[in-house]
Amino acid sequence: MSAPYRITRRIDIDAGHRIMTHGSKCRHVHGHRYGIEAVCEAADLHHDGEQTDMVLDFGFLKEEMLKAIDMPCDHGFIAAMADTELLAMFAPPGDDFALWLAELERDVRDRGEATTTQTRLGTKLTVVPFQPTAECLARHWFIKLAEPVRSRSNGAARLRLIRVFETPNCAAEYGE
């Protein structure tokens, strides 16, 4: 059963991606104005302190969303680790591609993603261990935000859902 109190905070980012396994036009490089909503819930409101009568301060939630989502991804490109042909286009000229790729793989394995601007054009690149579909991004960002939400609310709130709008009409959700 869900808690009676819920809040929602939305941020928007611009990012490119491609779904290398897609059978139609999404296999091509393209971009989206992603809308990302985080829904948090609590059984009760804070009774004292700076979050009195709140589930979680909207400003705290925004800070965590900016850190987890906006900073690595906004005005960048999100690529699957398996998409080596695409990653080769981003590789810095003159660098050893295999070494550059191995460093990305290590960061993806250790941290769940790798973000770099050490690319051919200095473009921000975030590499993830999955196809960057809206569904997988929702799950990824849920995992990144769940603990900060708990911590910033002093354990009172939990992240219930991440909703990712890929277009104004199409959204994917991941939650508990």
Side-chain angles (χ1 to χ4, degrees):
M1 184 170 169
S2 64
Y5 295 101
R6 286 193 182 156
I7 64 165
T8 301
R9 179 68 169 94
R10 180 184 172 113
I11 65 169
D12 294 293
I13 65 168
D14 296 296
H17 77 153
R18 90 169 184 138
I19 309 302
M20 66 181 261
T21 56
H22 197 267
S24 187
K25 62 185 178 179
C26 289
R27 74 178 174 275
H28 302 291
V29 172
H30 64 286
H32 294 283
R33 174 77 176 169
Y34 289 100
I36 302 103
E37 295 178 350
V39 179
C40 301
E41 68 179 16
D44 198 9
L45 302 178
H46 284 90
H47 296 291
D48 56 24
E50 66 180 326
Q51 295 186 79
T52 298
D53 293 334
M54 297 178 191
V55 169
L56 171 65
D57 185 294
F58 286 115
F60 292 174
L61 182 54
K62 178 183 177 184
E63 286 175 20
E64 297 303 333
M65 292 175 77
L66 292 176
K67 191 182 321 177
I69 301 167
D70 183 272
M71 286 175 56
C73 299
D74 187 42
H75 283 78
F77 198 90
I78 306 168
M81 187 73 242
D83 199 348
T84 54
E85 288 181 305
L86 178 96
L87 292 173
M89 293 174 24
F90 282 92
D95 281 10
D96 180 344
F97 177 65
L99 179 61
W100 181 78
L101 195 61
E103 290 174 11
L104 291 174
E105 286 175 333
R106 184 193 66 237
D107 287 348
V108 168
R109 183 183 60 250
D110 294 348
R111 296 192 334 251
E113 72 182 23
T115 299
T116 185
T117 55
Q118 299 301 310
T119 60
R120 181 174 309 272
L121 300 173
T123 303
K124 188 189 321 181
L125 173 67
T126 297
V127 182
V128 291
F130 49 80
Q131 293 300 313
T133 62
E135 296 88 342
C136 290
L137 290 170
R139 179 179 183 271
H140 179 67
W141 292 330
F142 183 95
I143 291 166
K144 287 182 73 174
L145 281 170
E147 177 52 31
V149 163
R150 192 197 66 69
S151 178
R152 292 297 292 266
S153 70
N154 300 316
R158 75 179 186 108
L159 185 60
R160 173 78 170 154
L161 177 78
I162 292 289
R163 183 176 296 116
V164 177
F165 285 86
E166 201 171 73
T167 71
N169 302 317
C170 299
E173 298 179 351
Y174 183 86
E176 296 180 340

